[in-house]
């Protein structure tokens, strides 16, 4: 490695070419054209955004950025949205570059955090920017893995905070699944960082075929021309018709999990990832396989599994730790080629499952959707047990983007000519919804940015309110709203032109009465006022007779309203418009004018509201924080400084409790009960089983 250089300066052209050649020499395969293009743009732009399908090899671009930093004596930070993904990336990089060069910082672990390459969750980087920005002085690249998570609340807001507030010398490498508005994301990034290179591909490295499982058999969703397979559609509709005939059995699944696994084996679609959207569901699926004596390996494979497990266990130095792993490991099912993988597993056990799966020894792994992210576990087939997924409020159907992300693991590059995606027919989801998800376009990421109390406190620690407002205006959410507002301005201009055209139309003429424009406007204005006043009086009478006490109007107000109604009624009856033979035409014209004016008013309000939405939101938060004692003269108080370091949706409540000593004197069991009440998530009753 060379001596430390200024991270703000790119490597000279000749050095970049030499670095690329040296990097290629470390790779077991030639680089794809899109990878080379992205690497070149790293040297000529202020960062690069790569949008590509899962398993297409976009992580190679991040690997090059790390390689360049190590060669030039600079630093790199690799961020992921999930701790599980950070842990795996740490293991991969440590294996490649050695213990001394790679560190890890998550909410659970801090290992070698001064290393030239540090893996961390995006939240940790956000906290670092707030707490200790000096540590980023020698950082050249920050890799944002799974950057499409900007679409997810609350993680998405963290991406935006990092992008907005990172020091200007840092160059970003954004890695995203295929998204349709990647250019919009890149334009926003460029508005803060300088010109961004953009590389987007949509072609999967292996072909994907989609299947619908019904009655434990696989039916193709599309024919060879990519058209809807009519036999599959009709078969699914027959199931719906049968449900109507026997409504008591309507929610019974037509598929049996173990029979589906047998079908996968019969059609040579293993190894397979069987997605179940809950940890408990994964564990229960493994138990069912054990009860059914599912065995997917031969004698030789069992011996290889036993050998690998023994070797991994021997690497554990502590006897108690080894005993713990042995007690938690389901050796029998692992030997039979069936395992689970979810965030509840200890990292050692997850790593063991990953190695066995990559070696083709684990044939079926039950996993939560975290496995659909950057963890390297490609499979021949992917099974989705349920087409609905809990989103914090309910169980909506999977979107096209979610389906694409889950199916991304199907098809091992260089091994399988075709990958298979299997969707289990869900009795509660119409076949049309499944086809809509399968045929839909790439996901469109939308900002989920929202100022929070914690964000406001951190911003005001070292900035005044005007600077904090400026940061709000720079968010991706505000960027998208400005673009949307610009489109609405064109619509507003069209509405105003239509209004002018209608107003310019000549009035209907004929008969003895020829109404003037101001008489028509006054007539319908009086009519609207009369209707409004009478409605108020009617509500007041209703409240009086129901004994509601002080109703919407006092006696004096009621008398004034009655007088006003009589006055308007008298004028309205004398208007010449009332006797006009063209009254219907006048009413139609005034109705059209009123609708246009209302649409103009609403559109104008929407544009004005969107222009400074986040700034106004920040002002509201600041007012509450000042009233609650977290801010004093727009600077965090002692209590506010405490709250600025508590990250979570209940940060104010926890900070108030800690500062006020509410937890003092609680027994351990009592403290646990209080904390459970704060962090518990109620997913509602009646949740469906999701393990087939």
């Amino acid at each position: 490695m060379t001596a430390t250089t200024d991270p703000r300066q790119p490597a000279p052209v000749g050095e970049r070419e030499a670095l690329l050649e040296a990097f290629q020499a470390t790779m077991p395969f030639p680089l794809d054209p899109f990878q080379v293009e992205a690497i070149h743009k790293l040297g000529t732009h202020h960062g690069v955004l790569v949008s590509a399908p899962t398993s297409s090899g976009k992580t190679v671009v991040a690997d090059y950025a790390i390689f360049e930093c190590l060669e030039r004596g600079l630093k790199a930070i690799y961020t992921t949205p999930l701790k599980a993904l950070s842990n795996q990336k740490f293991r991969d990089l440590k294996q490649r570059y050695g213990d001394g060069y790679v560190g890890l910082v998550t909410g659970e672990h801090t290992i070698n955090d001064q290393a030239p390459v540090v893996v961390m969750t995006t939240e940790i980087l956000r906290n670092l920017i707030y707490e200790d920005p000096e540590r980023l002085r020698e950082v050249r690249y920050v890799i944002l893995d799974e950057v499409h998570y900007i679409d997810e609340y609350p993680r998405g807001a963290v991406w935006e905070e990092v992008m907005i507030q990172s020091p200007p010398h840092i160059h970003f490498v954004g890695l995203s699944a295929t998204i349709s508005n990647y250019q919009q994301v890149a334009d926003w990034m460029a508005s803060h960082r300088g010109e961004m290179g953009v590389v987007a591909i949509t072609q999967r490295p292996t072909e994907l075929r989609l299947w619908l499982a019904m009655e434990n058999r696989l039916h193709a969703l599309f024919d060879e021309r990519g058209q809807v397979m009519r036999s599959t559609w009709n078969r699914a509709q027959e199931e719906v018709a049968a449900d109507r005939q026997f409504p008591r059995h309507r929610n019974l699944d037509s598929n049996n999990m173990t029979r589906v696994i047998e079908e996968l084996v019969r059609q040579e679609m293993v190894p397979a990832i069987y997605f179940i959207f809950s940890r408990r569901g994964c564990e229960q699926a493994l138990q069912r396989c054990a009860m059914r004596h599912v065995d997917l390996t031969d004698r030789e494979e069992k011996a290889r599994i036993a050998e690998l497990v023994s070797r991994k266990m021997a690497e554990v130095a502590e006897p108690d730790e080894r005993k713990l792993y042995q007690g938690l490991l389901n050796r029998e099912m692992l030997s039979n080629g069936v395992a689970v993988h979810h965030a509840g597993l200890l990292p050692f056990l997850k790593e063991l499952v990953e190695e066995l799966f990559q070696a083709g020894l684990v044939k079926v792994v039950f996993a939560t959707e975290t496995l659909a992210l950057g963890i390297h576990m490609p499979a021949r087939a992917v099974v989705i047990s349920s087409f609905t997924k809990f989103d914090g409020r309910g169980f909506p159907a999977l979107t096209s983007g979610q389906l694409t992300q889950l199916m991304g693991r199907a098809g091992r590059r260089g091994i399988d000519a075709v990958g298979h995606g299997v969707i289990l027919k869900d009795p509660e989801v119409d076949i049309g919804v499944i086809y809509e998800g399968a045929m839909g376009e790439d996901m469109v990421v939308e900002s989920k940015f929202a100022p929070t109390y914690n964000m406001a406190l951190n911003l005001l620690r070292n900035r005044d309110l005007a600077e904090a407002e400026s940061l709000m205006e720079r968010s991706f959410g505000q960027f998208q709203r400005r673009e949307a507002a610009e489109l609405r301005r064109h619509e507003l201009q069209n509405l105003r032109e239509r209004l002018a055209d209608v107003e310019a139309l000549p009035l209907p003429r004929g008969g003895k009465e020829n109404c003037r424009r101001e008489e028509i406007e006054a007539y319908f204005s009086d009519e609207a006022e009369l209707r409004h006043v009478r409605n108020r009086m009617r509500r007041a009478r209703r409240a009086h007779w129901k004994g509601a006490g002080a109703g919407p109007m006092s006696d004096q107000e009621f008398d004034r309203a009655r007088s006003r109604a009589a006055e308007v009624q008298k004028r309205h009856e004398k208007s010449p418009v009332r006797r006009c033979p063209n009254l219907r035409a006048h009413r139609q014209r005034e109705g059209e004018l009123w609708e246009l004016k209302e649409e103009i008013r609403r559109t104008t309000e929407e544009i004005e509201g969107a222009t400074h939405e986040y700034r106004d939101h920040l002002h509201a938060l600041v007012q509450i924080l000042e009233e609650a004692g977290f801010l004093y003269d727009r600077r965090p108080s002692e209590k506010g400084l405490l709250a600025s370091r508590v990250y979570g949706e209940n940060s104010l409540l926890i900070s108030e409790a800690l500062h006020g000593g509410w937890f003092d004197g609680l027994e351990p069991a009592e403290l646990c009960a209080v904390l459970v009440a704060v962090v518990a998530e109620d997913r509602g009753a009646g949740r469906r089983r999701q393990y087939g």
Side-chain angles (χ1 to χ4, degrees), residues 547-608:
M553 300 174 69
S554 65
D555 291 343
Q556 294 83 357
E557 289 173 327
F558 188 86
D559 290 340
R560 285 196 295 270
R562 184 163 51 190
S563 298
R564 177 60 180 170
E567 176 187 340
V568 174
Q569 176 72 25
K570 185 176 180 181
R571 186 171 65 230
H572 189 254
E573 289 175 351
K574 289 183 177 181
S575 172
V577 180
R578 186 181 182 89
R579 299 178 298 278
C580 179
N582 299 309
L583 178 59
R584 178 177 294 181
H586 293 327
R587 185 179 299 280
Q588 182 177 352
R589 177 180 178 276
E590 286 300 312
E592 186 176 359
L593 287 172
W594 183 87
E595 288 181 1
L596 284 170
K597 289 175 182 177
E598 274 297 294
E599 186 63 27
I600 289 171
R601 181 188 64 78
R602 287 194 297 267
T603 303
T604 302
E605 288 181 355
E606 287 176 11
I607 292 172
E608 292 175 352

Side-chain angles (χ1 to χ4, degrees), residues 235-350:
R235 180 70 188 85
Q237 294 292 59
E238 288 172 8
E239 274 201 2
V240 174
D243 286 342
R244 293 197 185 101
Q245 294 294 324
F246 300 95
R248 291 181 58 186
H249 304 284
R250 182 172 297 166
N251 293 328
L252 294 180
D253 292 325
S254 66
N255 294 295
N256 178 281
M257 182 193 68
T258 55
R259 297 278 299 280
V260 169
I261 292 174
E262 290 174 3
E263 181 69 3
L264 293 174
V265 173
R266 189 180 71 83
Q267 299 215 28
E268 298 182 350
M269 291 186 181
V270 293
I273 299 173
Y274 201 114
F275 281 116
I276 299 174
F277 300 131
S278 76
R279 301 179 194 178
R280 184 173 64 180
C282 291
E283 295 291 347
Q284 290 174 336
L286 187 67
Q287 292 171 12
R288 288 183 61 193
C289 286
M291 292 170 57
R292 296 282 184 173
H293 305 290
V294 174
D295 190 351
L296 307 178
T297 56
D298 57 30
R299 182 178 301 177
E300 180 185 347
E301 288 170 329
K302 291 182 192 300
R304 289 175 60 195
I305 292 171
E307 180 186 355
L308 195 149
V309 171
S310 297
R311 189 172 72 248
K312 290 291 292 183
M313 287 294 180
E315 295 174 3
V316 181
E318 290 292 332
D320 289 344
E321 187 178 357
R322 191 184 314 118
K323 187 176 181 180
L324 171 65
Y325 294 149
Q326 290 171 340
L328 293 174
L329 189 64
N330 190 327
R331 279 180 176 269
E332 180 183 358
M333 291 313 300
L334 199 62
S335 178
N336 290 351
V338 185
V340 295
H341 189 291
H342 54 69
L345 280 183
L346 292 174
F348 175 86
L349 299 180
K350 281 192 287 189

Side-chain angles (χ1 to χ4, degrees), residues 139-299:
V139 174
R140 168 72 175 176
Y141 292 116
V142 167
I143 295 112
L144 301 177
D145 202 357
E146 309 291 346
V147 80
H148 52 273
Y149 255 73
I150 203 169
D151 190 72
E152 180 170 306
Y153 181 83
R155 291 189 180 100
V158 179
W159 292 105
E160 299 191 40
E161 287 182 80
V162 166
M163 180 62 63
I164 293 169
Q165 302 191 63
S166 291
H169 70 268
I170 287 178
H171 289 209
F172 282 95
V173 180
L175 307 178
S176 172
T178 47
I179 54 177
S180 58
N181 61 330
Y182 59 85
Q183 189 61 56
Q184 184 186 44
V185 177
D187 290 344
W188 168 68
M189 295 172 73
S191 68
H192 302 300
R193 318 304 307 183
E195 188 180 5
M196 293 289 296
V198 180
V199 177
I201 62 169
T202 57
Q203 188 68 35
R204 282 175 49 91
T206 56
E207 179 190 347
L208 176 66
R209 293 180 186 168
L210 297 181
W211 306 82
L212 187 68
M214 294 181 287
E215 295 184 353
N216 313 312
R217 289 291 180 266
L218 305 186
H219 305 264
L221 278 175
F222 302 100
D223 60 22
E224 294 179 353
R225 297 173 300 166
Q227 302 297 314
V228 172
M229 184 69 80
R230 296 308 307 179
S231 59
T232 302
W233 178 283
N234 293 337
R235 180 70 188 85
Q237 294 292 59
E238 288 172 8
E239 274 201 2
V240 174
D243 286 342
R244 293 197 185 101
Q245 294 294 324
F246 300 95
R248 291 181 58 186
H249 304 284
R250 182 172 297 166
N251 293 328
L252 294 180
D253 292 325
S254 66
N255 294 295
N256 178 281
M257 182 193 68
T258 55
R259 297 278 299 280
V260 169
I261 292 174
E262 290 174 3
E263 181 69 3
L264 293 174
V265 173
R266 189 180 71 83
Q267 299 215 28
E268 298 182 350
M269 291 186 181
V270 293
I273 299 173
Y274 201 114
F275 281 116
I276 299 174
F277 300 131
S278 76
R279 301 179 194 178
R280 184 173 64 180
C282 291
E283 295 291 347
Q284 290 174 336
L286 187 67
Q287 292 171 12
R288 288 183 61 193
C289 286
M291 292 170 57
R292 296 282 184 173
H293 305 290
V294 174
D295 190 351
L296 307 178
T297 56
D298 57 30
R299 182 178 301 177

Side-chain angles (χ1 to χ4, degrees), residues 62-198:
D63 291 336
Y64 171 81
I66 292 170
F67 178 84
E68 180 188 322
C69 285
L70 291 175
E71 290 295 311
R72 298 182 62 204
L74 298 171
K75 292 187 174 183
I77 291 177
Y78 196 111
T79 71
T80 77
L82 302 172
K83 286 183 288 187
L85 190 51
S86 294
N87 291 332
Q88 199 220 29
K89 198 66 195 178
F90 169 65
R91 294 195 300 270
D92 293 346
L93 292 174
K94 187 173 65 169
Q95 184 176 4
R96 181 168 183 175
Y97 296 110
D99 292 359
Y101 293 101
V102 185
L104 174 70
V105 182
T106 65
E108 297 173 349
H109 303 290
T110 298
I111 302 170
N112 195 21
D113 60 339
Q114 298 298 323
V117 180
V118 179
V119 183
M120 59 181 65
T121 55
T122 321
E123 285 86 350
I124 295 295
L125 177 57
R126 185 270 312 273
N127 301 349
L128 192 62
I129 292 171
Y130 283 140
E131 301 286 345
D132 191 10
E134 183 62 21
R135 285 181 56 185
L136 304 175
R137 186 166 50 87
E138 296 180 4
V139 174
R140 168 72 175 176
Y141 292 116
V142 167
I143 295 112
L144 301 177
D145 202 357
E146 309 291 346
V147 80
H148 52 273
Y149 255 73
I150 203 169
D151 190 72
E152 180 170 306
Y153 181 83
R155 291 189 180 100
V158 179
W159 292 105
E160 299 191 40
E161 287 182 80
V162 166
M163 180 62 63
I164 293 169
Q165 302 191 63
S166 291
H169 70 268
I170 287 178
H171 289 209
F172 282 95
V173 180
L175 307 178
S176 172
T178 47
I179 54 177
S180 58
N181 61 330
Y182 59 85
Q183 189 61 56
Q184 184 186 44
V185 177
D187 290 344
W188 168 68
M189 295 172 73
S191 68
H192 302 300
R193 318 304 307 183
E195 188 180 5
M196 293 289 296
V198 180

